[in-house]
Amino acid sequence: MIRRLIGIAALAAVVALPVVAQAQGVPGGVERGSRDGERAAGPVGAVVGGVIGGVVGGVAGVLGVDERPRFRSYVVEQHRPSYQYREDVRVGAVLPEEGVTYYDVPPEYGVRDYRYTVVNNRTVLVDPRTHRIIEVIE
């Protein structure tokens, strides 16, 4: 029985991994990996797919690896002013509510729930509800 479960989990991982690699960030990766894993191998596949999806989504970030250079160029072309921030510009830092302008990310980049801004001449994606930096675009 245990060998069968391990086999099913391995199969789910192999089936779910290519699809999950396209997910956006940890939450998107978990959701999509779990859904695809469950379709492929039932409840065990959902668990395995969710874990793999979260890991792969976290590595890829919210903005896909292939989209980062193009998005960075887009922001540079927009000539957005840079907000001067006294703290480190890093994932998890919370920007102040006043003085920072947040801009919509164009739909072609597939980032719906976040906004972007420029802080200390670095482009960042921000959760508009919490003002927390969720990704620094290098």
Side-chain angles (χ1 to χ4, degrees), residues 7-57:
I8 290 171
L11 175 64
V14 169
V15 169
L17 187 58
V19 176
V20 171
Q22 298 172 4
Q24 298 287 324
V26 174
V30 169
E31 180 182 332
R32 188 165 185 177
S34 178
R35 190 175 54 241
D36 293 343
E38 184 174 30
R39 270 195 304 246
V44 173
V47 171
V48 173
V51 171
I52 292 172
V55 170
V56 172

Side-chain angles (χ1 to χ4, degrees), residues 86-130:
R86 294 178 191 250
E87 305 294 325
D88 288 336
V89 177
R90 60 175 173 71
V91 172
V94 178
L95 298 175
E97 291 184 29
E98 302 286 324
V100 182
T101 304
Y102 301 98
Y103 307 96
D104 291 334
V105 177
E108 62 263 24
Y109 296 101
V111 179
R112 294 183 306 247
D113 298 329
Y114 302 107
R115 304 291 178 267
Y116 79 91
T117 193
V118 180
V119 179
N120 296 352
N121 296 313
R122 298 173 75 187
T123 302
V124 296
L125 291 177
V126 179
D127 182 329
R129 295 174 302 277
T130 64

Side-chain angles (χ1 to χ4, degrees), residues 1-16:
M1 179 69 178
I2 292 177
R3 286 184 182 172
R4 185 171 184 210
L5 286 176
I6 292 172
I8 290 171
L11 175 64
V14 169
V15 169

Side-chain angles (χ1 to χ4, degrees), residues 21-86:
Q22 298 172 4
Q24 298 287 324
V26 174
V30 169
E31 180 182 332
R32 188 165 185 177
S34 178
R35 190 175 54 241
D36 293 343
E38 184 174 30
R39 270 195 304 246
V44 173
V47 171
V48 173
V51 171
I52 292 172
V55 170
V56 172
V59 170
V62 173
L63 190 64
V65 174
D66 296 336
E67 297 297 326
R68 288 182 187 149
R70 194 166 66 92
F71 181 69
R72 178 129 174 46
S73 294
Y74 165 80
V75 173
V76 169
E77 290 170 6
Q78 297 301 305
H79 302 290
R80 303 292 189 192
S82 180
Y83 176 78
Q84 295 307 306
Y85 187 57
R86 294 178 191 250

